Amino acid sequence: MKCEYSDGMKVDYSGSLRIRKGEEVNVYITEDFIPANVKGYLSKAESEQSCEELRKIAKVVTATVGSRVCIHE
């Protein structure tokens, strides 16, 4: 599921999670490193096709791990 927002934020969840917003935010987390509780929220947002919920999750993720991070094997 991919969502783009009027402020330039882009969120792509297709197993892995990518959050981008210009030069300010660049977050990439592979599927294996997304915590189970976050995966649950992501799956729910995806099943409901809710870009609003996906954005809320993206804000929580960036507040937790930072705005520039790449987490993978």
Side-chain angles (χ1 to χ4, degrees):
M1 176 175 177
K2 294 181 183 181
C3 297
E4 290 189 39
Y5 305 92
S6 61
D7 65 351
M9 180 178 272
K10 297 177 185 178
V11 180
D12 179 4
Y13 174 65
S14 51
S16 296
L17 177 64
R18 176 171 289 284
I19 306 166
R20 299 197 65 167
K21 184 177 178 186
E23 297 292 318
E24 300 168 42
V25 178
N26 189 0
V27 174
Y28 177 74
I29 305 172
T30 59
E31 185 173 9
D32 293 339
F33 290 94
I34 299 172
N37 62 331
V38 175
K39 275 187 190 179
Y41 290 119
L42 288 166
S43 294
K44 183 177 182 213
E46 183 178 42
S47 70
E48 295 175 357
Q49 292 295 297
S50 176
C51 284
E52 181 180 331
E53 287 301 312
L54 197 59
R55 183 180 181 96
K56 288 178 187 176
I57 297 163
K59 284 185 176 183
V60 170
V61 168
T62 56
T64 303
V65 300
S67 60
R68 296 187 137 317
V69 67
C70 182
I71 303 173
H72 61 89
E73 289 186 292

